[in-house]
Amino acid sequence: MEMPSKMRAMVLEKLGEPLCFKELPVPQPSPQQVLVRVHACGVCRTDLHIVDGELTEPKLPLILGHEIVGTVVGLGEKVHRFSIGEKVGVPWLGYTCGECRYCRRDQENLCDHPGFTGYTIDGGYAEYTVADQRYCFPMTPDCNAAEAAPLLCAGLIGYRTYRMAGEDIERLGIYGFGAAAHIVAQVAVFEGVKVYAFTRLGDNEAQDFARRLGAVWAGSSTELPPDELDAALIFAPVGSLVPQALRATCKGGKVVSGGIYMSDIPSFPYRLLWEERVIRSVANLSRRDGEELLELAPKVPVKIEVQIYPLSQANEALDDLRSGRMQGAGVLMVTDEQ
Ligand SMILES: [Zn+2]
Ligand SMILES: [Zn+2]
């Protein structure tokens, strides 16, 4: 295929404003980068936090999008992991320094000098993107790009959050039943864990959805579940869920927040934390998380429910995510697969 010189992209030029449709030059890969023709790119809550200015260090102008599935169509001179025509996934973690104390002790997700796709590096709300080969994942040639894209953030961060809840859990609460939750719930059910789903008050649709995916109980986040939880994962960016979730956990229970941003956590009595309950956050992902989840997902098999939008409707997709109108995962279909 002849490489075009221009591409369509949805660009964030100013915080708080809708993305602008632009024609931009197709980027050129640097030595470690692959040039990727983007087929599908997931829409993530993090994108909203960037647009809204809650994450404070975006490059501007910026092409959002960090759940990218596409085909390699160009290679930097040092690329050895991929060849032309291969399908790849590009996740949020776009670069790490390899030298800081976190990188050296196997915590690359906490790197001091990281690059993040669709935040500090241009992402996938465009027909083409470049990505460092060392952080891309090989995808199976026959994977459905739209259904695979949400695995790359909702799936990965969700999976890391779930793993942080520890082994040997029997009862798992999930607060905020969106893209990440619907993937994690399937993995947990597959592993024999009982899932309790918590949604916004009165969101019967999301509660039915959770039950369909195997949750043993679904209710509103203000309710206490019928059984004490061993762990609770929070995917909604709502700080008041932290004491709520603590209240629902058993002695020694863990509350893990999977989001990159959360509104302030209200003060709460120490007795909610007493008896060795634990609160922690999860930041970013490591490449190992990706390898593990991409191997596990087909075994479950994880079925991803997607709401598809064309690239030109990225603003509508973000609005739907913001207002809770999205069930499962929102995905921009960018170019056809060849
Ligand atoms: Zn580092
Ligand atoms: Zn994300």
Side-chain angles (χ1 to χ4, degrees):
M1 190 186 69
E2 192 67 17
M3 191 64 62
S5 60
K6 297 259 185 192
M7 65 174 188
R8 298 181 303 137
M10 292 298 285
V11 182
L12 177 67
E13 299 205 303
K14 252 180 123 180
L15 296 183
E17 292 194 355
L19 310 183
C20 309
F21 182 86
K22 292 260 167 181
E23 280 227 319
L24 297 177
V26 171
Q28 298 295 315
S30 66
Q32 286 286 3
Q33 287 178 327
V34 287
L35 174 64
V36 177
R37 183 168 156 85
V38 178
H39 302 314
C41 183
V43 175
C44 174
R45 186 167 291 283
T46 297
D47 300 340
L48 286 181
H49 296 312
I50 294 169
V51 172
D52 293 348
E54 285 149 352
L55 303 187
T56 54
E57 289 163 24
K59 80 180 268 295
L60 284 176
L62 169 69
I63 300 173
L64 290 167
H66 55 266
E67 302 179 291
I68 303 167
V69 176
T71 298
V72 175
V73 293
L75 303 172
E77 61 221 37
K78 289 195 179 149
V79 172
H80 55 85
R81 290 186 64 216
F82 297 100
S83 41
I84 301 281
E86 270 185 80
K87 227 178 218 183
V88 285
V90 184
W92 169 251
L93 187 74
Y95 177 79
T96 57
C97 75
E99 290 168 3
C100 71
R101 56 201 295 260
Y102 300 101
C103 282
R104 277 188 277 117
R105 66 186 187 205
D106 203 17
Q107 292 179 308
E108 66 178 0
N109 60 306
L110 301 179
C111 174
D112 275 336
H113 309 284
F116 296 117
T117 311
Y119 181 41
T120 61
I121 305 170
D122 277 333
Y125 286 24
E127 290 175 297
Y128 293 88
T129 193
V130 286
D132 190 312
Q133 58 153 352
R134 293 166 293 186
Y135 302 88
C136 295
F137 299 110
M139 306 296 284
T140 49
D142 59 348
C143 79
N144 176 302
E147 288 168 18
L151 284 175
L152 291 158
C153 178
L156 283 183
I157 305 277
Y159 176 75
R160 184 175 178 85
T161 308
Y162 170 56
R163 285 289 175 242
M164 293 298 169
E167 306 202 339
D168 304 328
I169 47 172
E170 283 172 33
R171 302 177 197 145
L172 178 71
I174 303 182
Y175 287 77
F177 214 83
H182 99 285
I183 296 171
V184 171
Q186 295 176 58
V187 173
V189 168
F190 172 74
E191 295 189 337
V193 175
K194 283 187 188 155
V195 170
Y196 298 73
F198 297 81
T199 72
R200 296 186 208 201
L201 186 63
D203 192 346
N204 297 325
E205 233 175 293
Q207 290 171 16
D208 288 343
F209 182 44
R211 284 188 207 99
R212 276 207 310 281
L213 294 176
V216 295
W217 178 89
S220 114
S221 53
T222 53
E223 289 176 67
L224 283 176
D227 310 297
E228 286 190 322
L229 306 173
D230 299 309
L233 315 182
I234 303 181
F235 293 115
V238 180
S240 60
L241 291 175
V242 171
Q244 286 285 6
L246 279 173
R247 212 169 260 130
T249 55
C250 66
K251 289 183 264 192
K254 292 199 183 78
V255 173
V256 190
S257 171
I260 193 167
Y261 171 85
M262 188 178 248
S263 57
D264 286 355
I265 301 169
S267 75
F268 54 86
Y270 179 61
R271 64 178 161 77
L272 293 184
L273 188 62
W274 172 240
E275 294 168 326
E276 304 197 341
R277 290 176 180 83
V278 174
I279 307 172
R280 72 171 296 169
S281 65
V282 157
N284 312 315
L285 64 122
S286 70
R287 284 173 278 186
R288 192 181 312 130
D289 298 323
E291 284 152 17
E292 282 179 21
L293 177 70
L294 291 173
E295 198 186 315
L296 180 59
K299 292 183 188 151
V300 172
V302 173
K303 287 214 178 83
I304 302 205
E305 202 141 320
V306 289
Q307 269 191 44
I308 303 254
Y309 301 81
L311 174 64
S312 57
Q313 285 182 23
N315 287 311
E316 287 78 359
L318 289 170
D319 285 346
D320 287 351
L321 178 59
R322 187 190 301 282
S323 63
R325 281 192 297 267
M326 202 175 262
Q327 187 150 304
V331 173
L332 304 178
M333 263 334 270
V334 184
T335 62
D336 290 337
E337 297 180 47
Q338 281 123 11

